Amino acid sequence: MNDETEVVVAGRERAADGVVRLTLRRPGGGPLPAWEPGAHVDLLLDGGLVRQYSLCGSPRERTAWRIAVLREPDGRGGSAYVHDRLTVGTRLRVRGPRNNFPLRPAERYLFIAGGIGITPLLPMIAAAERAGARWRLLYGGRTRASMAFLGELAGYGDAVSVRPQDETGILDLDAFLAEPDVRTLVYCCGPEPLLAAVEERCGSGWPAGALQVERFHPREATGTTEDAAFEVVLARSGRALTVPAGGSVLEAIRSAGVEVLYSCTEGTCGTCETDVLEGEPDHRDSVLTDEERAGGETMMICVSRSRGPRLVLDL
């Protein structure tokens, strides 16, 4: 869903050191667009800032969305804007929800969170609990004070392992992931070093597709071709555009005056996902699974390129 919704900040509270939790509602009340665990929304902020934040409330609560935002001192300005300027009563536009991190049915789940990566996992855990699935959560952070939602998670008892680094050291992933099982899915969200470590461990012994991750920042580009120029054909109009070496498909399309949805321009949010009708994409995003990349049916036009001289897109 890419429709925009006007919302108002109806609640604001401190969730942990450096983390603020916001409740968003329609200015006149009423239901908001539905969503499922793992979904995020785009906040459309002043100055052209667009930032994605996971919904961490309950999908059953149709009149409110809840997000939690970590202030990132070395960020690009989005988190500082949220912390400094979004106060109770502030109105803003939101796009979505959209879900690149859906919770698939399974008998068992292993959830792994690092810091603010706990946000998309909260509604997943609640859904797993309602479904009667067995699950465990390994939750790491710098300090206990920096880890949001500890009070909420305490209600789940021993299923939750809270591991602040200053108390227990780095997460013991080897022990947590020691028993590969075809009935178990692994969901992980957090900083890139954690994701890479989990991917490494699940790459050996675990069934293909068992691990699902969501990134807040792009992983290292893994393109398989040089950045040579290629042609992009927009199927709906028949227009042919040249994407130069070093340029992006998105830039070429926008320079031609064609309006398309986009957001992060880093290949992490999924907003610009576009159907590929002909050609073979050179995927450089951080959203698609290995199976989706191999299928070649869609691509993120903000970062991905072409492995051949021509792509035909459903635009």
Side-chain angles (χ1 to χ4, degrees):
M1 177 181 297
N2 291 310
D3 293 338
E4 293 181 10
T5 303
E6 184 180 22
V7 298
V8 61
V9 179
R12 175 186 168 113
E13 59 184 310
R14 177 184 175 278
D17 287 350
V19 179
V20 64
R21 177 167 54 185
L22 302 180
T23 300
L24 308 176
R25 300 184 186 272
R26 288 188 184 275
L32 291 161
W35 60 282
E36 296 294 333
H40 69 267
V41 292
D42 299 344
L43 301 191
L44 309 183
L45 308 173
D46 290 344
L49 288 175
V50 182
R51 294 294 183 268
Q52 299 78 41
Y53 297 107
S54 298
L55 292 170
C56 59
S58 170
R60 295 180 167 186
E61 188 176 7
R62 291 299 310 280
T63 62
W65 286 335
R66 288 185 171 81
I67 61 172
V69 180
L70 170 68
R71 180 188 282 274
E72 299 187 65
D74 299 324
R76 297 182 297 158
S79 66
Y81 187 104
V82 170
H83 276 254
D84 296 339
R85 300 181 61 179
L86 294 190
T87 57
V88 173
T90 302
R91 294 194 181 199
L92 68 154
R93 290 178 300 124
V94 176
R95 189 164 57 216
R98 182 171 49 256
N99 200 341
N100 303 320
F101 193 41
L103 183 68
R104 293 158 38 200
E107 292 183 29
R108 297 179 61 229
Y109 297 97
L110 294 179
F111 297 109
I112 304 172
I116 199 62
I118 189 63
T119 50
L121 301 186
L122 284 175
M124 292 186 180
I125 289 169
E129 184 78 2
R130 285 195 303 271
R134 291 185 294 159
W135 63 270
R136 290 189 293 144
L137 167 67
L138 182 63
Y139 181 17
R142 293 181 292 103
T143 65
R144 192 174 295 271
S146 72
M147 300 169 69
F149 304 108
L150 292 183
E152 182 175 330
L153 291 167
Y156 292 117
D158 292 342
V160 175
S161 297
V162 176
R163 295 291 183 267
Q165 187 170 353
D166 64 338
E167 297 178 17
T168 61
I170 62 173
L171 296 179
D172 189 354
L173 298 176
D174 291 326
F176 195 70
L177 298 169
E179 299 179 15
D181 184 351
V182 295
R183 300 167 299 172
T184 301
L185 293 179
V186 182
Y187 279 80
C188 180
C189 187
E192 185 59 32
L194 172 63
L195 300 183
V198 172
E199 287 176 328
E200 179 183 2
R201 285 158 176 81
C202 287
S204 176
W206 279 86
L211 173 63
Q212 308 294 315
V213 303
E214 182 168 60
R215 286 178 157 84
F216 294 140
H217 303 288
R219 59 183 170 189
E220 185 177 352
T222 57
T224 58
T225 62
E226 295 183 3
D227 281 358
F230 59 94
E231 182 183 64
V232 168
V233 177
L234 310 185
R236 298 180 198 174
S237 64
R239 296 182 66 180
L241 308 174
T242 297
V243 179
S248 73
V249 176
L250 175 63
E251 290 168 348
I253 292 172
R254 296 191 67 234
S255 295
V258 178
E259 291 298 319
V260 291
L261 285 175
Y262 68 97
S263 181
C264 70
T265 69
E266 295 182 321
T268 60
C269 73
T271 303
C272 69
E273 184 172 6
T274 302
D275 288 341
V276 178
L277 303 181
E278 295 180 30
E280 186 177 1
D282 181 17
H283 296 291
R284 305 184 181 192
D285 65 275
S286 302
V287 177
L288 297 176
T289 65
D290 290 341
E291 292 79 9
E292 290 168 334
R293 290 181 172 214
E297 296 181 357
T298 68
M299 66 183 290
M300 306 302 157
I301 59 175
C302 66
V303 293
S304 297
R305 300 181 64 78
S306 177
R307 299 187 66 182
R310 183 172 182 265
L311 284 175
V312 180
L313 302 180
D314 187 18
L315 291 172

